Amino acid sequence: MKSTFLFSAALLGATVVSSSILSRDSESGPPPSSNEQPEDPIIPLSNDTSFHFELLFTLGNTVFGAGDVNDVLAAAKAIKPGNFTSWLETFHALAEHTKTQAEDPNNAYDPVNVRDAWFAASSYYRQADFYNHANWTDPRINSFWLEQRAAFDKALAALPVPGERIQIPTDNNFTIEAIWYPAAAAADGVKQRPTLVIGNGYDAGQEDSYHSFVVPALARGWNVLTYEGPGQPTVRRNDDIGFIPDWEKVLTPVIDELLNRKGCYVDEDRLVLVGISMGGYLAARAAAFEPRIKALILNGGVWDIYEGYSGHLTPELKELLDAGKQEEFDEAVLPLLESPEVPVTLRWGLGHGLWCFKQHSPYLWLESLKDYALKDVVERIKVPVLVVDSEFEGFFAGQPEVVKDALGDKATYKFFKGTAGYHVQVGAGQEWNRYLFAWLNKILG
Ligand SMILES: *[C@@H]1O[C@H](CO)[C@@H](O)[C@H](O)[C@H]1NC(C)=O
Ligand SMILES: *[C@@H]1O[C@H](CO)[C@@H](O)[C@H](O)[C@H]1NC(C)=O
Ligand SMILES: *[C@@H]1O[C@H](CO)[C@@H](O)[C@H](O)[C@H]1NC(C)=O
Ligand SMILES: *[C@@H]1O[C@H](CO)[C@@H](O)[C@H](O)[C@H]1NC(C)=O
């Protein structure tokens, strides 16, 4: 998930684990918890914390071609905190405006113009879609997504080495969606290049990864394959299927395809799996069953999703959940979706969660999360793992350290703080990618 927080701390009585920002060695673990909130080092883009995060997500990706800084700042100014309609309309108008520029024949003479304009339009369509999953029959759930895809594909085709969409059928009832981005031909003539395989988590699309990962990876001579499985934006829509915990059912066919496909030149000694946000669980789970992966990057480390989410319920709700009172639990939780008073973090987290796990009952949804834990598989992971932790990581706070401890000397633990200390290093993509590739260089050469 780009935004992690499911239940708002303020609303449901969570205590956000806080830490001091005293200068310290970032390699040696997070500072001890104290009762002080660390001071936020940047200015807010919205008075709603979820809107702020999502605006920062797009703003941060502008350095990798996701649009213009002023487009995002103007959206930040126009959008009313907490108002989903105002978010949707603002980003949709921006997307349409940018699409008009992309189609203007005066601009379209040049592939760089084409690419930049369509990537930006696509990124704005995705943001228009972001908070709009609570009503499953709203046709815009599909129409906005098709718009972002059409725009994205025009941009993909205009890359110096065009990206390629790949559909990978499985033995199960879904088809994996992937995009292959080959590195440019290297001066040394060696075709096999190191390769990143990238999967997101709760909410981001593989198209988002183009900006956060693919641009910096291609610049360093890496190939990239991004992919989506059940619950993730395109597969959720195409195959009407929610998340599954046994993610090896997704990853194994992906690696099979990558290593057997004509035109995919992969250096098999430098094949790296990356899991982002809740993908930190999905990738770790799948890596436990995939011996062909040579290194694993978890940003962040996720140990147990049920613990992460249910641990933030109010004592009253937790009691209903533990007592198995489905009806009462759902009656208490479902009205929160409709209430404009409820913070977006909770309204969106719940509404999107039900959609992407394909559940109508919050109770059954939370129960289903009990299958998403690393405890029983972690010892099967045999490769070097980078476990990322972040100072302002509220929701899975504490879990990266548990993952690190369980992995023992296979783990490198990295704690990001200050301006790079947000969930998935949002807004600090350059620093994050520098660290990531330096780590890979150290581990794989
Ligand atoms: C947040 O609210 C304060 C007080 O109403 C206002 O001055 C400020 O401009 C708002 N900030 C944003 C980013 O909307
Ligand atoms: C939310 O924003 C929309 C679009 O700007 C506006 O029409 C609507 O009145 C707003 N709702 C509230 C409750 O402010
Ligand atoms: C959901 O969307 C459909 C189609 O736009 C609409 O008819 C319906 O009123 C919406 N439901 C709610 C609760 O907003
Ligand atoms: C796909 O298969 C799984 C496991 O057999 C099942 O639980 C799920 O309901 C199926 N989904 C669809 C959309 O058919």
Side-chain angles (χ1 to χ4, degrees), residues 310-332:
S310 68
H312 289 253
L313 293 169
T314 56
E316 294 73 25
L317 285 174
K318 186 71 169 56
E319 210 177 294
L320 290 176
L321 186 69
D322 290 343
K325 297 190 171 160
Q326 179 183 342
E327 212 171 302
E328 279 135 292
F329 184 85
D330 288 349
E331 270 170 21

Side-chain angles (χ1 to χ4, degrees), residues 78 80 82-87 89-90 340:
K80 302 177 189 78
N83 182 326
F84 288 164
T85 308
S86 125
W87 176 282
E89 288 176 359
T90 301

